[in-house]
Amino acid sequence: MIPLVDLKANYLPLAKEIAQGFERVCNDTAFILGADVKEFEKEYAAFIGAKHCIGVANGTDALELALRAAGLQPGDEVLVPTNSFIASALAVARAGGQVKLVDCDDDYLIDLESCAKAVTPRTKFIMPVHLFGQCAPMQKVADFAKAHALAVVEDAAQAQGAKQNNRAAGTFGIAAGTSFYPGKNLGAYGDGGAITTDDDAVAQKLRALRNYGSEVKYHHPETGFNSRLDTLQAVVLRAKLKHLSDYNAQRRAAAERYQALLKDVRGVGLPRTASGNEHIWHIYAVRVPKRDAVLHSLQAQKIGAGIHYPVPIHLQGAFKSLGHKAGDFPQAEAAANEMISLPMYPELTAAQAEQVVGALRKAL
Ligand SMILES: Cc1ncc(COP(=O)(O)O)c(C=O)c1O
């Protein structure tokens, strides 16, 4: 069996360090906002080159709180690509915003032409999603945002360490949310997330928002949330962050191997790295005909393939009220019907990649 993601292979070399960290936290009983959270926040901010990092309970909260701290008002429209994990849109709805879905380009990244059709005078935010491990076209996003007076809040959940023209995902907008869900490039051993920002006022607001709206204990000038990164999770994240650049480089090598092995396989559409991007391959997805039959065959051959994502957000029951129908976003729908994600993790060996490609050839 070759799994889609092998968290155990990643855990084993870190087991001792993490166990010692857990013991330290338990001995200190600093379970909530302990020293490891503060240290991790500093380390992660430095890693991506942001001024502030604020740890929260998960990536969905990170995006919701980022929008709130950046000043979203009830009913403000937010442009969100429909080909994302549903959390991107859920965060907007939960913050009180109005989701305005848009289509994607050939690299599965937010399509600015689709944004131009969707934007209205009520639109106040744009949320580019750095999907699968590469940055959305941020210069185009910035130009569009400027032209329409929109604030940019990035969904950087799948892009920890991804860069565009040497600038890291999570440093382009007024704020960015990321997720430390276990399978992410930087994954915790439970839920976790963070917001990064260069804006001091936004950072201060976020530190209060995640902590019951309080900066001084038992004083609550505004309504807030209970959404903090757990100290035990911060221990795991600190241990892994030291290796994240290596993990991302190993993923890149695995992706290059797949590209070389697959380049002559008829019928397979390969993923591309958009110009200026340093891809970190959170997900390696190819396009194939008769995708569901191919998936079935791969699973029968014990290859842990997956689909990211089978149903675009505009066709989800949760967003029925937006009134969309099949055909509204042709690029995203075609991708949802044809894409298949192959096993991708830092420890994927050359032999495993060859086995995956052999199985895919057979499936096709
Ligand atoms: C693109 C994207 N946005 C947001 C999220 C939400 O993160 P979480 O699951 O930590 O709430 C995820 C991951 O799950 C994601 O992949």
Side-chain angles (χ1 to χ4, degrees):
M1 173 79 197
I2 301 180
L4 186 62
V5 177
D6 191 347
L7 296 181
K8 184 81 178 272
N10 190 260
Y11 164 66
L12 291 174
L14 303 174
K16 200 166 162 201
E17 183 180 350
I18 289 173
Q20 284 169 348
F22 283 174
E23 213 176 311
R24 186 178 67 241
V25 173
C26 293
N27 276 318
D28 290 351
T29 68
F31 300 113
I32 302 290
L33 295 179
D36 283 279
V37 174
K38 290 190 190 71
E39 289 308 310
F40 171 71
E41 289 176 338
K42 273 191 233 156
E43 289 159 6
Y44 191 71
F47 178 77
I48 68 163
K51 192 163 175 197
H52 305 279
C53 168
I54 298 96
V56 294
N58 56 67
T60 313
D61 283 7
L63 293 169
E64 177 188 350
L65 299 190
L67 289 164
R68 288 180 181 273
L72 182 136
Q73 296 299 312
D76 283 354
E77 291 174 358
V78 183
L79 299 170
V80 182
T82 189
N83 64 314
S84 183
F85 182 57
I86 193 142
S88 311
L90 288 180
V92 172
R94 274 185 18 187
Q98 183 64 38
V99 176
K100 277 289 244 184
L101 294 169
V102 297
D103 212 344
C104 61
D105 66 13
D106 291 342
D107 298 318
Y108 314 119
L109 303 167
I110 193 165
D111 176 38
L112 279 308
E113 279 173 32
S114 183
C115 291
K117 287 185 203 146
V119 72
T120 78
R122 292 178 303 281
T123 311
K124 303 293 179 209
F125 286 85
I126 181 168
M127 183 187 280
V129 179
H130 305 308
L131 200 74
F132 297 165
Q134 70 172 330
C135 290
M138 293 312 291
Q139 189 55 52
K140 283 190 200 167
V141 168
D143 293 344
F144 185 86
K146 193 163 176 214
H148 297 276
L150 312 180
V152 179
V153 169
E154 305 164 67
D155 181 337
Q158 303 191 0
Q160 293 135 350
K163 287 187 179 153
Q164 185 165 85
N165 300 322
N166 291 320
R167 188 166 166 186
T171 65
F172 291 94
I174 175 80
T178 195
S179 162
F180 304 126
Y181 180 81
K184 295 290 190 267
N185 286 43
L186 181 61
Y189 290 171
D191 280 307
I195 303 110
T196 49
T197 180
D198 282 347
D199 187 307
D200 296 342
V202 167
Q204 191 178 355
K205 192 147 196 210
L206 283 164
R207 289 189 195 286
L209 274 180
R210 72 167 171 185
N211 199 31
Y212 319 106
S214 165
E215 286 179 62
V216 178
K217 200 164 185 175
Y218 301 132
H219 293 263
H220 306 272
E222 59 179 325
T223 51
F225 300 81
N226 174 358
S227 181
R228 293 158 310 201
L229 178 67
D230 210 87
T231 311
L232 289 170
Q233 299 305 340
V235 166
V236 175
L237 294 169
R238 290 187 74 195
K240 288 189 170 191
L241 181 59
K242 287 186 268 184
H243 305 283
L244 184 55
S245 294
D246 291 339
Y247 295 156
N248 286 342
Q250 287 170 276
R251 285 175 182 269
R252 207 168 298 126
E256 278 163 18
R257 196 168 292 126
Y258 273 143
Q259 300 286 78
L261 290 167
L262 286 167
K263 73 174 190 303
D264 298 324
V265 180
R266 263 186 54 209
V268 178
L270 297 183
R272 302 184 320 185
T273 300
S275 156
N277 272 355
E278 198 173 310
H279 206 315
I280 57 153
W281 300 101
H282 173 58
I283 283 170
Y284 182 87
V286 295
R287 303 274 281 256
V288 291
K290 298 190 187 157
R291 191 270 316 277
D292 292 343
V294 171
L295 179 66
H296 208 236
S297 167
L298 285 176
Q299 286 168 346
Q301 296 179 73
K302 300 210 176 331
I303 302 298
I307 302 175
H308 298 92
Y309 296 90
V311 183
I313 297 173
H314 69 282
L315 300 178
Q316 297 281 1
F319 287 99
K320 204 166 45 195
S321 63
L322 299 180
H324 287 297
K325 57 183 187 321
D328 281 359
F329 299 112
Q331 290 271 86
E333 288 171 35
N337 291 331
E338 296 166 21
M339 276 201 303
I340 195 159
S341 307
L342 301 182
M344 173 51 74
Y345 45 89
E347 300 79 9
L348 189 84
T349 65
Q352 286 174 319
E354 278 167 29
Q355 200 181 324
V356 171
V357 171
L360 181 59
R361 280 180 188 273
K362 197 165 158 203
L364 286 162

